[in-house]
Amino acid sequence: MIQQPGYRTEPWAIRERDLDLERLAQGESVFALSNGHIGLRGNLDEGEPNGVPGTYLGGFWDTRRLPYAEAGYGDPEQGQMVVNVTNGKVIRLLVDDSPFDVRYGTLGRHERVLDLRSGTLERDLEWTTPAHSTVAVRSTRLVSLVQRSIAAIRYEVRALDRAVRVVLQSELVANERLAVAADDPRAQSAQQADLLAVDHDHAGLRALLVHRTAGSGLYVAAAMDHELEAPGSELHEVEASGDVARMSVGATLQPGESLVLIKFLAYGWSRKRSGQALTDQVLAALTQARATGWTGLLKEQRDALDAFWEHGDVEIEGDPALQQAVRFGLFHVLQAAARAQQRAIAAKGLTGPGYDGHAFWDTESFVLPLLTYTLPQAAADALRWRHSTLRRAGRRARELGLAGAAFPWRTIHGEECSGYWPAGAAAFHINADIAAAAARYVEASGDERFEREVGLELLVATARLWMALGHFDADGRFRIDGVTGPDEYSAIADNNLYTNLMAKRNLTAAAATVARWRQAADELGVSEDEPGGWLAAARVMRIPFDERLGVHQQTEGFTAHARFDFAAAGPDSYPLMLHFPYFELYRKQVVKQADLVLAMHVCTDEFTPAHKLANFDYYEPLTVRDSSLSACTQAVIAAEVGYLDLAHAYFREAALMDLDDLEHNVRDGLHIASLAGAWIAAVAGFGGMRDDGGQLSFAPALPAAIARLRFRMLYRGSTLEVVVERREVTYALLDGPAIVIHDRGEAVELAAGRPVKRPLEAPVKRGEVPRQPPGREPRHQGRHAAT
């Protein structure tokens, strides 16, 4: 396991005391700043050295051809890829003719801090030139959570031991060259998108570049403006060309004097609006940012984060590293979604180019549960984005000979971009995942307008897909054949249990929603008897079960397959997909990620407690967790069935996925769903929260290493606080109307100012904890071990 010794354990910050150039790319992902519209990787201010330079805009993409050895009907011809747009982070420094570069001269100290309360990236260093002049540099960077189009940097250079001549060059740079991608399907493609220069301009301390993509035809405008603080005279000039705009300022500093540059950045993009309209937009955004000022932007940022932490924080006593990691995860999920405003939330957010910047089922199944209960408007926006792609999903369904809508497995704009059918486009469960996310949001928010305008059509379109995809067999059961569930090592299988149960819920929810909005359903062409057909299919959905073993089957016949030989594979063979042909994996009992176990979490009422325990015991030794999506789900069910220490270990793995670079690919961006999964592990795992069947319930329990857990969440306009301690749990309504929750099946009415305390049940005594495949124990040892 790669360790990251540079990050200190503290509750509200990620602090790097030593700059390790070998791990520069990993740090760039960890220190990335975003608001869902703008994403700035944590590259050094001076631009070089870098691991993966990156500036991204939510939903901004270009096309690439998808290569096939043998093309087949229905294979998408074009893919979509995230674009590294104009880089506005660059501020180069020249000290007495020596360019500042950490690889030259002497770096006396170097510290970077990602402050989770202020929402800034701070950098503080001292550098001595080859000619022995020493300066201190301090920069603070933010991407505004309030002013969507704005990022800003405060850069200060101070002379220390002697008078120095300094020059700062603040730049906009397009078409940076990127490193060639690693030979890893989780990384970005080797192909790079070029931006075509359209326009440039400059005036005063301001400069502007406008470009467009060659394939997708999207226009992007990037602009910068500046404020200067110099001790006396300074000289500045501005220039702009096709791919570079530069503002240069020079001054002579006496010991103790500083030159301060405040840089305001604005970004905008569109497919429909003209370059001139985008120019006007970003210049207006700059005007607003300068009117707010640097101090005002900092205050807005802090206020926005204070509001988020007020109802979204998770407090953990007993495991300081886990506390830090959970807040790190919450912060990055917030950044990925806060101002996305009906753009896709990618698997990597806007922290790196991994997976080509695509969005998957991760969004609806892992990210949206967190957002629904902490930042509900962002969850609604994400679902409105899906709704905006319904026409494309309908065309895809018809292309496949199906009814309704077939949402893409991976995409940026809404078209299918998966070039491998078995482990991608055959994963039809994404349609039920989207439907479940819409139903969950409506239930948790009570947003009837959303249900009428968005939820209804999503549920109807996906219900129609299941009726076309499945059929009633000779036994009168409804079966869904030839699909891939969450476990991508069991592709093109019949009656995947997770898929079937989620389809059942999709059909049931669609019928109920149509009943509530009958007139609106008529406008969608829903006949009077169509919902009855959905309910009939849901009632007789085939759920595979092995009577001999007493466990559910992940897919029909799964328990009859030969078991994968984990011992022969060895600990260096993971992820298995990079060391074994898919054919070998598809026909064996080996599980890439929680599949049936995930079904036990999200469809909890479909399983008895005895079946949950038996299923978990059976599938745990088969699950290799070659996906970062697995650990949080295993944490939830391990906690429910009584393996509390194992649940804690999986909780730590999900939370520390990126800080410890457990998958060895953080250089390509963070695992946003795993970071969201840490919240799920805390709230649904040890908080025992379930939102199944239209009621909010809790069944909390704590492992030995956690002394106290406190979390807050929003539900139907109310802020609920849950505090789990060794002997009792306290439920409190902090604001909003009274609500009814359930504690281990018993109704509890909560009103503001009247907390309810209930005893915490003693943990169930379990025998031997099930073992994982050799070498696949939870990866939580090392620096971050609980203290």
Side-chain angles (χ1 to χ4, degrees):
M1 180 178 71
I2 296 177
Q3 291 292 325
Q4 176 53 279
Y7 303 148
R8 296 185 57 191
T9 300
E10 50 188 291
W12 286 102
I14 309 300
R15 188 180 306 271
E16 177 191 70
R17 285 282 176 84
D18 299 302
L19 185 63
D20 182 355
L21 296 184
E22 295 298 316
R23 294 184 53 79
L24 198 56
Q26 287 87 338
E28 291 166 352
S29 297
V30 169
F31 291 124
L33 295 177
S34 173
N35 63 7
H37 171 59
I38 303 171
L40 305 182
R41 277 179 64 81
N43 305 117
L44 302 180
D45 301 285
E46 56 274 15
E48 298 177 15
N50 59 61
V52 180
T55 302
Y56 312 109
L57 297 179
F60 190 82
W61 55 281
D62 203 3
T63 57
R64 68 181 180 96
R65 296 285 298 178
L66 290 177
Y68 297 100
E70 296 182 19
Y73 176 80
D75 290 341
E77 296 180 359
Q78 284 193 328
Q80 296 160 7
M81 56 183 173
V82 67
V83 178
N84 179 32
V85 300
T86 310
N87 182 4
K89 303 186 295 290
V90 178
I91 301 176
R92 304 189 196 277
L93 168 64
L94 197 72
V95 180
D96 286 341
D97 301 325
S98 296
F100 171 46
D101 188 316
V102 296
R103 296 167 295 189
Y104 303 103
T106 303
L107 193 63
R109 60 182 172 83
H110 191 283
E111 179 176 270
R112 290 191 290 179
V113 180
L114 180 66
D115 191 315
L116 306 180
R117 287 182 293 190
S118 67
T120 58
L121 174 62
E122 299 178 356
R123 185 185 183 203
D124 197 3
L125 63 94
E126 288 185 4
W127 180 68
T128 302
T129 72
H132 309 296
S133 297
T134 302
V135 296
V137 176
R138 182 176 183 84
S139 70
T140 303
R141 182 186 300 175
L142 68 81
V143 175
S144 177
L145 296 169
V146 178
Q147 300 188 34
R148 184 172 184 258
S149 300
I150 293 298
I153 304 168
R154 185 184 187 276
Y155 191 99
E156 177 181 2
V157 55
R158 186 174 79 256
L160 293 182
D161 56 350
R162 65 176 72 171
V164 294
R165 299 183 309 276
V166 299
V167 175
L168 294 180
Q169 295 174 312
S170 173
E171 298 184 350
L172 296 172
V173 183
N175 291 315
E176 298 173 294
R177 292 296 90 190
L178 307 180
V180 176
D183 185 19
D184 185 335
R186 300 168 296 178
Q188 74 275 22
S189 67
Q191 187 174 351
Q192 299 176 16
D194 287 326
L195 293 170
L196 307 178
V198 173
D199 194 10
H200 60 269
D201 193 14
H202 65 87
L205 296 178
R206 189 183 69 205
L208 165 84
L209 298 180
V210 181
H211 288 78
R212 69 173 176 86
T213 57
S216 58
L218 305 183
Y219 284 79
V220 58
M224 63 179 180
D225 204 347
H226 304 84
E227 293 179 358
L228 299 172
E229 299 175 17
S233 63
E234 45 84 11
L235 178 67
H236 66 265
E237 58 185 14
V238 180
E239 55 188 317
S241 60
D243 282 348
V244 179
R246 181 182 299 111
M247 193 286 294
S248 302
V249 56
T252 299
L253 302 180
Q254 300 299 320
E257 290 184 334
S258 296
L259 173 61
V260 177
L261 168 71
I262 297 176
K263 182 176 187 176
F264 300 96
L265 291 166
Y267 288 93
W269 73 266
S270 179
R271 192 176 196 176
K272 299 177 180 178
R273 303 176 70 219
S274 67
Q276 183 59 54
L278 282 177
T279 295
D280 293 345
Q281 174 187 328
V282 296
L283 293 182
L286 282 179
T287 299
Q288 178 63 55
R290 290 202 60 186
T292 305
W294 172 254
T295 302
L297 288 173
L298 286 177
K299 184 180 185 305
E300 287 181 346
Q301 193 83 337
R302 180 59 184 254
D303 289 347
L305 280 161
D306 284 349
F308 173 73
W309 293 120
E310 180 66 23
H311 56 250
D313 189 24
V314 173
E315 290 183 2
I316 299 167
E317 291 184 8
D319 192 336
L322 185 58
Q323 173 68 90
Q324 178 189 38
V326 168
R327 285 187 174 135
F328 171 78
L330 284 165
F331 177 77
H332 271 291
V333 174
L334 168 67
Q335 289 200 125
R339 301 304 305 274
Q341 292 181 205
Q342 300 183 45
R343 303 292 184 191
I345 299 175
K348 298 292 187 181
L350 296 176
T351 67
Y355 293 116
D356 280 338
H358 292 163
F360 298 77
W361 72 300
D362 308 21
T363 300
E364 285 77 17
S365 295
F366 296 90
V367 177
L368 292 200
L370 186 162
L371 295 177
T372 295
Y373 297 108
T374 60
L375 198 67
Q377 185 54 52
D381 279 346
L383 289 164
R384 287 184 185 276
W385 168 71
R386 284 291 190 189
H387 183 260
S388 75
T389 68
L390 251 177
R391 184 172 299 177
R392 299 178 197 112
R395 284 199 301 265
R396 178 63 173 167
R398 292 191 295 274
E399 184 179 29
L400 299 175
L402 301 169
F407 285 98
W409 178 242
R410 56 188 301 169
T411 191
I412 298 175
H413 185 247
E415 295 84 1
E416 179 62 76
C417 294
S418 175
Y420 183 59
W421 170 265
F428 284 96
H429 67 82
I430 188 172
N431 299 282
D433 301 327
I434 293 167
R440 180 193 305 115
Y441 168 76
V442 170
E443 176 60 35
S445 68
D447 189 343
E448 294 184 354
R449 178 178 177 182
F450 174 91
E451 185 177 44
R452 162 65 180 84
E453 295 179 351
V454 177
L456 173 66
E457 192 170 9
L458 286 174
L459 287 162
V460 167
T462 47
R464 286 170 169 168
L465 175 78
W466 296 118
M467 297 304 292
L469 196 62
H471 69 280
F472 293 92
D473 62 17
D475 296 329
R477 312 296 290 182
F478 192 81
R479 57 186 297 125
I480 303 171
D481 296 330
V483 300
T484 300
D487 172 27
E488 294 162 10
Y489 288 169
S490 299
I492 316 298
D494 294 343
N495 294 306
N496 169 255
L497 181 140
Y498 174 86
T499 301
N500 283 20
L501 283 181
M502 291 296 286
K504 175 181 177 180
R505 303 213 154 200
N506 191 163
L507 293 164
T508 303
T513 305
V514 165
R516 285 192 293 273
W517 301 97
R518 185 62 254 184
Q519 184 176 347
D522 291 341
E523 296 172 7
L524 298 176
V526 180
S527 66
E528 289 292 336
D529 59 352
E530 192 174 4
W534 300 341
L535 292 174
R539 281 193 293 269
V540 295
M541 187 70 67
R542 185 169 288 281
I543 308 300
F545 187 81
D546 188 322
E547 297 288 352
R548 179 179 61 87
L549 296 174
V551 298
H552 288 85
Q553 298 187 82
Q554 180 174 284
T555 59
E556 198 167 63
F558 180 85
T559 53
H561 294 173
R563 289 206 171 201
F564 185 82
D565 191 343
F566 297 104
D572 296 327
S573 296
Y574 298 96
L576 296 177
M577 61 186 176
L578 300 184
H579 298 88
F580 292 88
Y582 275 121
F583 170 73
E584 178 67 9
L585 303 175
Y586 289 168
R587 64 195 188 98
K588 297 291 179 65
Q589 287 192 61
V590 54
V591 180
K592 179 181 179 182
Q593 65 198 75
D595 186 314
L596 185 146
V597 173
L598 178 60
M600 294 196 296
H601 171 202
V602 297
C603 302
T604 184
D605 289 348
E606 301 283 352
F607 303 86
T608 67
H611 281 148
K612 288 180 180 177
L613 177 61
N615 289 337
F616 188 83
D617 286 349
Y618 185 85
Y619 286 93
E620 184 70 0
L622 305 176
T623 304
V624 297
R625 296 189 328 286
D626 280 350
S627 166
S628 62
L629 302 180
S630 195
C632 68
T633 298
Q634 288 170 275
V636 169
I637 300 303
E640 181 175 356
V641 300
Y643 299 130
L644 295 178
D645 291 338
L646 179 60
H648 179 230
Y650 279 135
F651 183 7
R652 307 187 94 249
E653 180 170 312
L656 292 162
M657 183 65 61
D658 293 324
L659 288 178
D660 276 354
D661 198 6
L662 297 181
E663 295 284 346
H664 311 321
N665 61 356
V666 170
R667 63 171 286 118
D668 297 312
L670 302 180
H671 299 80
I672 299 299
S674 183
L675 298 180
W679 179 90
I680 293 172
V683 173
F686 295 122
M689 188 273 281
R690 298 292 185 273
D691 55 355
D692 194 34
Q695 69 179 31
L696 186 65
S697 63
F698 299 87
L702 289 180
I706 295 179
R708 182 175 180 268
L709 170 69
R710 182 185 78 89
F711 59 88
R712 293 177 177 179
M713 56 187 289
L714 297 173
Y715 187 76
R716 297 236 163 202
S718 299
T719 303
L720 172 67
E721 180 179 76
V722 180
V723 181
V724 187
E725 297 173 295
R726 286 279 175 230
R727 298 174 183 270
E728 66 181 11
V729 55
T730 303
Y731 300 104
L733 190 67
L734 303 184
D735 58 53
I739 59 173
V740 175
I741 64 168
H742 289 76
D743 176 76
R744 297 190 180 274
E746 185 174 335
V748 177
E749 185 171 347
L750 296 179
R754 292 163 50 191
V756 175
K757 294 182 180 292
R758 294 180 60 85
L760 199 67
E761 290 190 7
V764 177
K765 297 292 185 181
R766 294 294 181 204
E768 185 177 355
V769 178
R771 303 181 68 86
Q772 297 74 40
R776 303 307 285 171
E777 298 80 9
R779 295 166 289 179
H780 66 287
Q781 297 83 8
R783 175 184 71 87
H784 290 292
T787 58

